[in-house]
Amino acid sequence: MKLQQLRYIWEVARHDLNVSATAQSLYTSQPGVSKQIRLLEDELGIEIFARSGKHFTHITPAGEQVLALAGEVLNQTQNIKKIANEFSDNSKGSLNIATTHTQARYALPEIIHRFIEELPDVSLHMHQGTPMQIAEMANDGVVDFAIATEALELFSNLVMLPCYTWNRSVVVPKEHPLAQITDRKLSLEDIVAHPIVTYVFGFTGRSQLDEAFQNANLEPNVVFTAADSDVIKTYVRLGLGVGIIASMAYDEKIDNDLVALDAGHLFEDSCTRIGIRRNTFLRGYTYKFIQSFAPHLTEELVLQAMSTSTQQEVDVLFADLVLPQH
């Protein structure tokens, strides 16, 4: 059994059983990948992938268990490399982060700018995607950690560290009827009287938004959804509807043609978290980045969280912490 063979089966599974795509990602040949997988199966005496002709159709039950262990082995080999790099030179290396558009556009620019200034020899790579995609990247060890509000809890192998809480604003053109309400707070009834433009389900705290309308027995008319706050604001400007976005996504200078109406009293706060795969070795500069993003997440506290066995233990660790509000 070779480490290369384990990497091949792991990558084939990650590429939806597409051997051609796997070969391209590994800069090798398709026949070479197929041959090594067959050699591994022959050595183990089992089929990892079921076949129809020359094509893989699905992962066998035995293959599922082999792949789970292969993932752990590959993760540990990466940890060995990271440990070696840590002791050779902690000022050089790479940091891979997965996050959503809202975090990348509004929460991270200053943090990243400062990080690159302080550690110019650390190459930083940002991977953007849906909450599910970035959670999978962290879970599979493709990135060092993920920053998101949704989906991280779906992967039990991720340690979720709370960073900050945030809420929403309703954005409308200055002449919109909702902008004329100045003698009282906005209500859910005010909002549902108009078409709504907001995030795709599963994005940026959308679940809390839907829950608030359901609890009030109101049926919102969501006419357009997007993953990108800037796209939502664009369609608000076109008169498609009132926008509901993360408050941090409204910029008074850039969005001075729109009015942001506080909606924090209408919806439950959302919490943005960092998700890190368990049993992952983090280099020193990774702790620096995490604490720069969330000052309360010291290296000592992160290490404590990483040493836990369940997310419940992590939650107890942070139970008395008052998170900053963005």
Side-chain angles (χ1 to χ4, degrees):
M1 186 188 309
K2 300 176 181 177
L3 191 62
Q4 180 192 52
Q5 294 170 332
L6 298 181
R7 182 170 289 108
Y8 282 177
I9 63 171
W10 178 260
E11 289 297 326
V12 166
R14 198 168 70 85
H15 285 87
D16 298 322
L17 310 189
N18 187 322
V19 179
S20 177
T22 299
Q24 289 179 8
S25 71
L26 295 172
Y27 303 100
T28 188
S29 67
Q30 184 174 339
V33 172
S34 299
K35 178 183 178 181
Q36 289 301 320
I37 291 175
R38 177 55 79 186
L39 287 173
L40 178 60
E41 290 178 322
D42 289 344
E43 180 183 347
L44 297 177
I46 59 170
E47 273 197 339
I48 296 171
F49 303 106
R51 294 163 173 80
S52 176
K54 294 183 178 180
H55 300 286
F56 295 147
T57 57
H58 62 275
I59 302 170
T60 66
E64 293 280 1
Q65 296 188 45
V66 170
L67 281 163
L69 291 174
E72 291 302 318
V73 170
L74 294 172
N75 184 53
Q76 292 304 326
T77 62
Q78 290 301 311
N79 284 342
I80 291 171
K81 292 178 180 178
K82 290 177 181 177
I83 291 170
N85 290 332
E86 180 75 11
F87 282 93
S88 60
D89 190 348
N90 187 38
S91 66
K92 295 181 180 179
S94 63
L95 179 61
N96 287 272
I97 301 168
T99 192
T100 59
H101 166 82
T102 300
Q103 302 298 327
R105 170 67 177 82
Y106 297 102
L108 285 169
E110 184 180 338
I111 308 299
I112 289 174
H113 182 261
R114 187 163 63 245
F115 181 84
I116 291 174
E117 278 192 334
E118 293 177 0
L119 293 162
D121 292 326
V122 177
S123 57
L124 200 154
H125 308 280
M126 182 183 291
H127 306 254
Q128 281 184 241
T130 67
M132 180 62 74
Q133 287 170 337
I134 67 176
E136 285 178 347
M137 289 181 205
N139 187 68
D140 293 344
V142 177
V143 297
D144 294 289
F145 58 84
I147 302 174
T149 301
E150 308 277 0
L152 295 177
E153 71 279 358
L154 300 177
F155 295 86
S156 60
N157 202 32
L158 293 180
V159 177
M160 296 186 295
L161 309 174
C163 298
Y164 63 85
T165 60
W166 57 270
N167 217 298
R168 298 147 193 80
S169 292
V170 172
V171 290
V172 295
K174 290 182 176 180
E175 67 277 5
H176 194 277
L178 291 186
Q180 313 313 313
I181 300 175
T182 57
D183 59 335
R184 59 179 175 82
K185 289 184 176 181
L186 205 63
S187 70
L188 290 175
E189 288 76 11
D190 293 326
I191 298 172
V192 296
H194 303 274
I196 294 172
V197 182
T198 192
Y199 299 109
V200 176
F201 184 79
F203 267 81
T204 319
R206 172 66 191 271
S207 55
Q208 279 89 347
L209 188 151
D210 292 336
E211 185 179 343
F213 286 116
Q214 290 171 6
N215 291 341
N217 293 316
L218 295 172
E219 187 68 35
N221 178 24
V222 179
V223 295
F224 180 83
T225 61
D228 185 325
S229 303
D230 294 329
V231 170
I232 292 171
K233 288 184 287 186
T234 295
Y235 284 90
V236 169
R237 290 184 173 99
L238 292 174
L240 200 63
V242 303
I244 304 178
I245 62 172
S247 294
M248 73 181 88
Y250 175 80
D251 187 312
E252 289 185 356
K253 294 180 180 178
I254 298 174
D255 303 317
N256 55 18
D257 58 328
L258 300 176
V259 176
L261 308 172
D262 178 41
H265 58 289
L266 299 176
F267 306 106
E268 184 182 344
D269 281 350
S270 292
C271 181
T272 292
R273 295 178 172 87
I274 287 176
I276 309 173
R277 179 179 171 136
R278 290 188 185 279
N279 302 316
T280 296
F281 176 82
L282 301 179
R283 297 193 63 185
Y285 53 71
T286 306
Y287 292 107
K288 289 183 180 179
F289 187 97
I290 291 173
Q291 189 169 10
S292 180
F293 183 69
H296 59 279
L297 292 179
T298 62
E299 181 175 346
E300 180 183 2
L301 194 54
V302 173
L303 284 169
Q304 279 185 263
M306 294 291 286
S307 68
T308 62
S309 301
T310 65
Q311 185 59 39
Q312 287 77 11
E313 292 178 55
V314 177
D315 295 340
V316 169
L317 186 62
F318 293 98
D320 297 328
L321 182 68
V322 178
L323 295 175
Q325 176 90 24
H326 282 211

